Amino acid sequence: MAVSASSLITDPRELSTLLDLPYEQLAAVHAQYPLRVSRYFLELAKQYGAPLLKQVIPDLLELQDTETPADPLDEENLSPVPCLIHKYPDRAVLLVSSECASYCRFCTRKRKVGTKDMVISPSHLDAAIDYIRATPTIVDVLISGGDPLMLTDAHLDQILSRVRAIPTVRIIRMGTRMPCMLPARITEDLAAMLAQHHPLYLNLHFNHPAELTPEASTACTLLADAGIPLGSQTVLLRGVNDSAPVLKELFYRLLTARVKPYYLFQADLTRGVSHFRTTIHSGQAIMRQLLGYVSGMALPKYALDTPEGGGKIPLCPNYVQELGEQCLFQTYTGTHGVYPNTLWPEEGRTK
C-alpha cells in the first residue's frame, strides 16, 4: 500500500479555504518550508485547536527565525555517504524517504525534508548499505527519513531485507509518525511484513493526548500484535504540550495503546523552530511534577540532542544534593534523606 496523494493537503490555497487563514501568509512560509498535512490529522486538529494545529500549520514566525542553525545536529558533516548519518560508534541512521504524511513545523530536518535538497536515489541507498556492511561496529540501524512508511510495503520490505542480511546488524529500528498522522496506513499486511524482520523496533511520535484517537490506537495494536515493541519520542513544545497534566495524560494513553514513552526531547535548535522551544528549567519543572506521581513505565527520559552533533544527554532534574561518603538526596515529595556511599569491607566477612 502506498500513501494516496488525495489523502494529503499540499496547496496553501486549499488550506487557506479550509481553515479561513490568509493565503499570502501560508504561501510565503510554504515557499521556504513546504506544507503538507494529512486530511485525517487536519480534521482532528480542527476539533482540538491550537495544540494540534500549531504542529502542522505554517506560521510566519518560521521565517523570522533566521539566526538559528539550519543543521543544528551537524548531520551533514556526520554523513560519510549520502542517506546515512553515523554519529555514534555502534549506531547509524539510514534515510530512506524524503517525505512525510504531514510536515511537522518543528522538524529537525526542516531544511531538507520535502524539498528538492533531499534526494534519495537507488545509488545513494546502495552506498549507504555498503557502508553499514563495511562498518562492523554498527550493530543498530535506525530507518528514518522523512517517514519510511511513505514507501510501499514492497519497497520497504526490500530495504529491511538488505539491512537484515548484514551479519553484524543486530537491531533494526524505524522512526515513523504514521500511526498519528495517517493511521489507515497501518494495515495487517504491513504489520505482517514488518514482523518478518525481527528484532525490529518502532519509534512512534505522539505529542498530545488528543492524537491517541481510536484509529491511532488501532494502528498501534496492529503493530504490537505483530510482536513489534513500540516506543514514543515526544517533543516538548511551547503551547502544545508544555504542562504536566497534558503530558501525564499523553503518557498514560500511550501505555494503554501499548506504546512505551521513550524520550521527551527538548526542542532542537533548528532554524524556523525557535517559537516552539521552552526553557530547560521549564522542562525540568514538568518532570519534577511527574516523577513519583505517575508510574515509572509512563516516564520517558527527558533529553537534549546537543548541538553540533554532540549526541543526546539526559536533562533529568537533580535529586542528589551532595555526593561524598554519603549521598544526600531529596525525594520527589521534597523530603530529605541519606544513603551510605562507601563499599562494605571485604576483610572480616564471614565465609
Side-chain angles (χ1 to χ4, degrees):
M1 172 183 174
V3 174
S4 168
S6 63
S7 65
L8 311 175
I9 297 167
T10 58
D11 182 357
R13 193 169 297 281
E14 181 182 6
L15 188 62
S16 170
T17 301
L18 290 171
L19 294 180
D20 193 24
L21 293 172
Y23 164 74
E24 293 77 14
Q25 294 183 20
L26 294 175
V29 182
H30 173 64
Q32 182 164 341
Y33 300 119
L35 153 74
R36 178 179 286 173
V37 56
S38 73
R39 297 184 188 278
Y40 160 85
F41 192 81
L42 184 64
E43 287 305 310
L44 181 65
K46 285 163 65 176
Q47 294 178 48
Y48 286 93
L52 271 59
L53 287 169
K54 289 178 75 160
Q55 297 184 57
V56 293
I57 303 305
D59 190 315
L60 285 176
L61 290 172
E62 298 174 43
L63 301 181
Q64 296 172 21
D65 178 13
T66 58
E67 301 301 320
T68 315
D71 179 18
L73 306 183
D74 204 30
E75 290 183 338
E76 301 301 334
N77 289 325
L78 293 169
S79 182
V81 294
C83 299
L84 185 128
I85 303 162
H86 192 187
K87 180 190 299 186
Y88 302 100
D90 67 335
R91 283 152 283 173
V93 178
L94 178 62
L95 304 175
V96 302
S97 169
S98 62
E99 300 179 305
C100 300
S102 297
Y103 293 141
C104 299
R105 311 315 301 177
F106 52 86
C107 180
T108 297
R109 298 192 185 112
K110 192 179 182 77
R111 69 191 184 277
K112 62 193 297 184
V113 170
T115 75
K116 58 180 176 51
D117 294 327
M118 192 169 188
V119 178
I120 297 175
S121 68
S123 63
H124 287 164
L125 286 175
D126 289 345
I129 292 172
D130 286 345
Y131 178 91
I132 296 169
R133 187 181 297 107
T135 313
T137 55
I138 297 175
V139 299
D140 179 354
V141 176
L142 172 61
I143 310 292
S144 186
D147 196 314
L149 294 188
M150 289 295 291
L151 305 180
T152 65
D153 291 3
H155 190 180
L156 188 56
D157 185 26
Q158 181 188 56
I159 292 171
L160 289 169
S161 296
R162 294 178 67 189
V163 175
R164 176 56 65 208
I166 300 172
T168 48
V169 173
R170 302 174 68 177
I171 300 164
I172 299 176
R173 293 180 290 153
M174 185 184 304
T176 179
R177 207 175 182 199
M178 207 63 81
C180 173
M181 289 297 179
L182 197 62
R185 173 66 183 93
I186 312 301
T187 64
E188 291 185 2
D189 286 346
L190 172 66
M193 181 275 287
L194 294 175
Q196 302 305 307
H197 299 284
H198 284 312
L200 175 71
Y201 296 77
L202 255 61
N203 294 332
L204 310 182
H205 183 168
F206 290 92
N207 287 328
H208 192 276
E211 297 169 1
L212 268 297
T213 62
E215 294 89 343
S217 295
T218 296
C220 294
T221 297
L222 279 172
L223 295 168
D225 283 351
I228 301 169
L230 306 174
S232 179
Q233 301 188 122
T234 297
V235 181
L236 185 62
L237 299 169
R238 186 169 152 197
V240 173
N241 60 10
D242 55 335
S243 81
V246 169
L247 289 176
K248 177 180 178 179
E249 182 63 19
L250 169 63
F251 297 152
Y252 272 129
R253 287 198 193 185
L254 284 169
L255 282 184
T256 302
R258 296 156 69 185
V259 181
K260 171 70 177 78
Y262 176 39
Y263 272 122
L264 174 63
F265 278 120
Q266 179 70 13
D268 288 332
L269 201 65
T270 306
R271 184 175 300 164
V273 174
S274 292
H275 57 293
F276 280 110
R277 290 204 314 274
T278 66
T279 65
I280 293 172
H281 290 102
S282 172
Q284 289 180 328
I286 289 171
M287 291 302 292
R288 277 191 174 272
Q289 294 174 66
L290 295 175
L291 194 147
Y293 295 96
V294 301
S295 165
M297 279 289 290
L299 275 180
K301 182 184 294 183
Y302 178 39
L304 169 69
D305 207 345
T306 57
E308 300 181 5
K312 300 178 185 69
I313 59 170
L315 296 175
C316 300
N318 191 2
Y319 293 84
V320 175
Q321 298 179 311
E322 185 178 320
L323 191 61
E325 291 190 355
Q326 291 183 324
C327 172
L328 306 183
F329 61 84
Q330 182 183 49
T331 70
Y332 77 95
T333 61
T335 61
H336 298 269
V338 179
Y339 179 87
N341 191 37
T342 56
L343 293 175
W344 190 31
E346 292 284 341
E347 295 178 4
R349 285 178 55 192
T350 303
K351 302 285 185 181

